[in-house]
Amino acid sequence: MKDMDIAVERLNKAMGKKERILIYGDYDVDGTTAVALVYKFIQQFYSNLDYYIPDRYNEGYGISRKGVDYAAETGVA
């Protein structure tokens, strides 16, 4: 996948610096499944982890202001 190396490098950096990591998904079946799989995988190695799935009706599809606010409120850099 294009730029996967950049994403992996950033994830490793976050884990090394003990940053809070938020896995942000979406509400459809593949989105919730992806969040669950990534969360369960990373949880084996790292515990400062959270996830966010936006509300279909109130936030719509994609990144939402409410989701970004949730990240800020819970200490995600």
Side-chain angles (χ1 to χ4, degrees):
M1 296 179 91
K2 183 179 182 327
D3 295 330
M4 179 61 77
D5 57 326
I6 296 170
V8 170
E9 183 178 321
R10 179 61 183 103
L11 185 58
N12 284 331
K13 180 179 176 184
M15 292 168 86
K17 294 175 77 176
K18 300 189 182 343
E19 295 176 347
R20 185 154 181 79
I21 297 171
L22 179 70
I23 301 168
Y24 195 106
D26 59 39
Y27 48 76
D28 57 15
V29 172
D30 61 325
T32 56
T33 301
V35 168
L37 287 170
V38 171
Y39 185 94
K40 290 297 280 181
F41 177 76
I42 295 174
Q43 188 182 41
Q44 297 175 80
F45 313 103
Y46 194 72
S47 62
N48 195 6
L49 191 61
D50 197 2
Y51 66 91
Y52 186 84
I53 298 173
D55 181 272
R56 172 181 217 139
Y57 302 105
N58 295 323
E59 297 174 71
Y61 189 81
I63 296 176
S64 69
R65 177 160 306 278
K66 188 174 178 183
V68 172
D69 290 344
Y70 175 82
E73 291 166 5
T74 60
V76 176

